[in-house]
Structures are given as structure tokens and as C-alpha cells.
Amino acid sequence: TDLVYLPMKSTDWKLVFQLPREESIAILNNIRLHTLLGGSVSLIVIVFIFYFISSRIANPLKRAILLGQELEKQVAARTLELEQKNLKIMDSIDYAQRLQESILPAHSDLAAMLADYFVIWQPRDLVGGDFYWARRLDENRSLIAVIDCTGHGVPGAFMTMAVNSILDNITTEVSD
């Protein structure tokens, strides 16, 4: 048997009970069971609350990460597209540069017209609106021109091609 006592508030007396050992063990087992159940339920509730809160916080973070990755893919695709277009444009400008350089007088032609000369020709861009032109009319006469056409870049190069053609046409008509 086990003795259990309870102090009385109104007096200094103590109330004493005598319980069989099986009952006191059953009470302790019941307390242990309720403590385990309460602790387990509390732990499950705490885990669920943390999971719910973390999923609320993590989902926007995941979405932001996925959105960032998608934007990086789009930027990479657009960069590749721009690189390809830039390559096509640069190829065209290089071709225009070769065309523009082909209309310039050859150094051998200038050497035949002039005893001593030098040429500094540096367009602002790869192609430009400034160029020089020379034409030998006969043994004693030559025409040399330095021309500044309006515009730079490809528009200026178009102007140089047109002016070169006009000058060639004028000198051909005058010579005839």
C-alpha cells in the first residue's frame, strides 16, 4: 500500500489516504500516458506550424528563384540573338568598308600623278562620309578631290558611293 496525504488549508491537519499499490501505479501510468500523448500532440502541432510558416516563406523564395532563372534564360537567349544580329550587321559593314575602299584611288595611280604625296584617311566609323578621289585626264592634267559628304557610318558611305559615281560620270563626259 501507499500513503498519500493532502494538507488542509483551513487547519494544520493533513488528510492521509491509504491506496493499494496497483491503484497508485495505474494513476502514474495514466499520468505518463497523458504526458506522452500531450507531448506528442504538441510536437506534431509545432512541426505542422513550422512547416506551414516555412512553406509560406519558402514558396515565394522558390518562385523568386525560378523567376530569376527564367529571366536569366531569357537574357541569355536575347544576348545570343543580339550577338547573331550584331554579327550580320558587322559583316555588312565590313563589306561596305571593302566597297568604299575599292573606290579610293590606288597608290600607284596617285604616284603616277604626284611626285611626292601621303594619304591619311581614317573614317570615324568603319565606313564614313569622307573620301578622296583622283582622276588622270591626260599626260599633263589630273583632278584630285577631298570630299566630305554629309553623314557618318553607312549613310555617309552611301553618299560617298553616289558622289564617286557622279564625279566619274562628270570627268568621263568632260574628257569625251
Side-chain angles (χ1 to χ4, degrees), residues 59-80:
N59 280 343
L61 180 62
K62 285 179 188 176
R63 283 185 293 206
I65 290 171
L66 291 175
L67 180 62
Q69 290 172 346
E70 181 63 31
L71 289 175
E72 286 178 16
K73 287 178 186 176
Q74 288 179 359
V75 166
R78 296 280 163 77
T79 301
L80 180 63

Side-chain angles (χ1 to χ4, degrees), residues 57-167:
I57 292 171
N59 280 343
L61 180 62
K62 285 179 188 176
R63 283 185 293 206
I65 290 171
L66 291 175
L67 180 62
Q69 290 172 346
E70 181 63 31
L71 289 175
E72 286 178 16
K73 287 178 186 176
Q74 288 179 359
V75 166
R78 296 280 163 77
T79 301
L80 180 63
E81 182 181 328
L82 285 175
E83 286 174 354
Q84 291 171 347
K85 287 184 180 182
N86 187 44
L87 183 62
K88 287 181 182 178
I89 291 170
M90 289 308 296
D91 286 345
S92 295
I93 290 174
D94 287 341
Y95 186 71
Q97 179 185 20
R98 280 183 273 161
L99 286 174
Q100 188 177 33
E101 287 174 353
S102 72
I103 67 167
L104 297 176
H107 290 287
S108 60
D109 294 341
L110 290 173
M113 290 182 229
L114 303 168
D116 191 18
Y117 76 96
F118 68 94
V119 174
I120 298 175
W121 180 68
Q122 295 177 329
R124 188 184 84 176
D125 299 319
L126 291 177
V127 291
D130 305 332
F131 73 106
Y132 57 98
W133 177 88
R135 175 65 51 104
R136 183 164 205 129
L137 299 176
D138 57 36
E139 283 296 317
N140 298 323
R141 295 184 310 158
S142 298
L143 290 176
I144 298 174
V146 176
I147 298 119
D148 182 4
C149 293
T150 302
H152 292 280
V154 174
F158 282 131
M159 291 298 295
T160 63
M161 298 301 282
V163 170
N164 183 65
S165 178
I166 291 169
L167 288 172

Side-chain angles (χ1 to χ4, degrees), residues 3-57:
L3 293 177
V4 179
Y5 72 92
L6 178 67
M8 304 298 286
K9 291 185 181 180
S10 58
T11 64
D12 289 338
W13 291 11
K14 294 180 183 175
L15 184 60
V16 177
F17 297 100
Q18 185 176 357
L19 295 172
R21 173 69 52 139
E22 294 84 26
E23 281 185 35
S24 51
I25 289 176
I27 291 172
L28 290 174
N29 285 337
N30 196 10
I31 290 172
R32 184 184 311 150
L33 177 68
H34 284 101
T35 304
L36 286 173
L37 284 175
S40 300
V41 168
S42 298
L43 184 62
I44 290 171
V45 167
I46 289 171
V47 167
F48 177 74
I49 289 172
F50 278 126
Y51 174 75
F52 181 75
I53 290 173
S54 66
S55 68
R56 289 285 190 171
I57 292 171

